[in-house]
Amino acid sequence: MKFKKNSWWLLAITVAFIIGSVGCSSKPKPKPKPVVVKKRPTNVSYAWVGFPQPCPTPQDAKILIEKRTPKIVKPGQTVDIKISLVNNEDYAIDKLNLEEKLPAGFKVRSITPKPTRSGDGVYQWDIENIKSRQTKNITITGVINKTGTVRYSGNTTLNFEVMEKPEGDAVVSVVSPDLGLELEAPEIAVIDQKIPVVFTVKNTGTADVKGAKIVHTLPPGILTYVGRSKIEIDAEDVAPGESKQFGYYLKGVKKGNYRTTFTVVAKDGLSASANYNLRITVPELNINLNAPKKRFVGDFISYKIDVKNTGDSVADNPEVVLALPDSVALSSVNENGSVSQNKVVWNIEAIHPGQSKTFIAKVVAKKISTARAVASVQLNNVEREAAVTTDIAGISALLCKLVDKNDPVPVGEDEIYELTATNQGSLPATKIKLTCYLEDSMQYVKSSGATKGSLNGNVLTFEQLPMLEPRADAKWRIEVKAVKAGDVRFKAEVISDQLSRPVELVEPTHFYE
């Protein structure tokens, strides 16, 4: 008899025996065998298969095949694969042939007992007889010289015959279904993204599998892509040699490592399982926004946005947005940012784990205000924000200019000095006061302008100008007579509430005979 299975140590046996009595007297009923619960090893990877099927547990098997391997090994470390063949029946098994195909990457060092035949990673043992309650052990020793997960997914084939049949017994071969389940799916996925899963329900037996179904509740943190926690697949009947495939989309909604076992169940107690290990990764984007705390109207403000992926997977197509306040005007942006309705938008292809990207926008402060800018990054419907405020202040900036009109000037004639005060700032200048100083070589004639002046000795003092608005001018005109030749100086001082010290202006003039 023969069984095969392509999966992690899942073996299926297609065999049945019907033994009938011919012309024999009735036999006394055997005493029931004590039930021995076989505990599953916890410190090794363990798999088993039993005959006849179905065998819910190892102790129900008449013929039991067990396999054990270490769970974790280091590259180059010696590994023992142990195979046990147990005859739990009351009669012997004759002419047994076992065939094993070892996984790629496993380098064999020794095999006990030695195989009868080998080639291309396939090893066969011819065993003449296993007595009732006897166990045959095979140990395969070798090394694995690579890191990662090594899956033992080779074919196992078993052929055997029954000995010591009572005389006159008749043996009839009966066809039998053999149910299998395979699963194809990625082992790593990003949170909230589609995870394609393909289930293959197959029948490698010689009879129909009836009413095969997969009903499975997903572990917390995993859902179908439409948000359900349960998978239901009706594979119905599966003919001998037939395979049926069913596709599902899953998604991870929580970061973590998940392990689940899908099981297909059919009538007559047939079942098969497939394990699925899945790691859900999460790209996590952190955002920081920096800007100066204070600027004046007319100054540049530079907004710097730093976005870093602190997660464990790639952030695909994130969007960075900078919302600008109304009190600024955009000047320039980097990284091909686009502008729309006082917003700057950057579309990025990807940010890898640990990678940072910097985005800069420069603006001009237009008016006095507290300017609040907000930067945000959005990925997979998750948005993170950062905000800063900049105090945009105003300032009164007086520009004072003093000129003479007639330089040089003959003695006896008049010279005219003009002083212009311009407020170049963004705030009004208040309480502006002008004072002029005449030398002995010049004689005061008259004055006019924004405010009225009065002479006291050689000092000409003008009344205070209460306010000068931004971008406005104030002018004064002072006329003097040249009374003595020489290189003379006309001096003026301007003071205001916003000036901590006077602005001094001196205009030289040449008086000559």
Side-chain angles (χ1 to χ4, degrees), residues 392-457:
I392 301 176
I395 189 172
S396 61
L398 285 177
L399 173 65
C400 298
K401 185 178 181 182
L402 176 64
V403 298
D404 55 2
K405 292 292 188 181
N406 302 316
D407 190 17
V409 179
V411 173
E413 294 189 9
D414 293 346
E415 172 65 291
I416 298 174
Y417 294 96
E418 286 187 351
L419 188 143
T420 303
T422 302
N423 186 355
Q424 298 183 113
S426 53
L427 284 178
T430 58
K431 296 182 180 180
I432 301 169
K433 187 176 181 180
L434 171 63
T435 302
C436 300
Y437 300 90
L438 282 64
E439 291 188 347
D440 293 339
S441 56
M442 56 183 69
Q443 181 182 342
Y444 175 74
V445 178
K446 60 181 179 179
S447 62
S448 61
T451 57
K452 184 180 179 180
S454 61
L455 184 67
N456 183 10

Side-chain angles (χ1 to χ4, degrees), residues 281-470:
T281 61
V282 179
E284 296 182 6
L285 297 182
N286 288 340
I287 185 168
N288 290 311
L289 175 61
N290 292 292
K293 292 182 178 180
K294 185 176 181 179
R295 285 293 183 266
F296 290 99
V297 173
D299 286 348
F300 282 100
I301 300 175
S302 181
Y303 291 107
K304 181 184 176 184
I305 306 168
D306 292 310
V307 179
K308 183 175 182 179
N309 184 355
T310 59
D312 54 5
S313 62
V314 177
D316 289 318
N317 303 312
E319 182 181 77
V320 178
V321 178
L322 175 63
L324 297 171
D326 294 334
S327 55
V328 303
L330 186 65
S331 175
S332 64
V333 298
N334 75 337
E335 296 290 342
N336 298 316
S338 60
V339 182
S340 174
Q341 297 180 351
N342 225 32
K343 287 185 178 181
V344 184
V345 179
W346 290 272
N347 291 306
I348 315 160
E349 288 187 1
I351 303 180
H352 294 271
Q355 185 182 16
S356 297
K357 285 187 175 290
T358 300
F359 308 92
I360 297 175
K362 290 185 177 180
V363 301
V364 178
K366 296 191 301 181
K367 61 183 180 181
I368 300 169
S369 65
T370 299
R372 184 175 187 269
V374 180
S376 62
V377 59
Q378 185 167 338
L379 176 70
N380 299 332
N381 299 319
V382 176
E383 184 175 79
R384 296 195 174 180
E385 289 187 351
V388 293
T389 57
T390 300
D391 290 331
I392 301 176
I395 189 172
S396 61
L398 285 177
L399 173 65
C400 298
K401 185 178 181 182
L402 176 64
V403 298
D404 55 2
K405 292 292 188 181
N406 302 316
D407 190 17
V409 179
V411 173
E413 294 189 9
D414 293 346
E415 172 65 291
I416 298 174
Y417 294 96
E418 286 187 351
L419 188 143
T420 303
T422 302
N423 186 355
Q424 298 183 113
S426 53
L427 284 178
T430 58
K431 296 182 180 180
I432 301 169
K433 187 176 181 180
L434 171 63
T435 302
C436 300
Y437 300 90
L438 282 64
E439 291 188 347
D440 293 339
S441 56
M442 56 183 69
Q443 181 182 342
Y444 175 74
V445 178
K446 60 181 179 179
S447 62
S448 61
T451 57
K452 184 180 179 180
S454 61
L455 184 67
N456 183 10
N458 286 342
V459 178
L460 178 62
T461 303
F462 288 87
E463 294 178 357
Q464 183 176 276
L465 179 65
M467 183 179 294
L468 184 62
E469 296 290 343

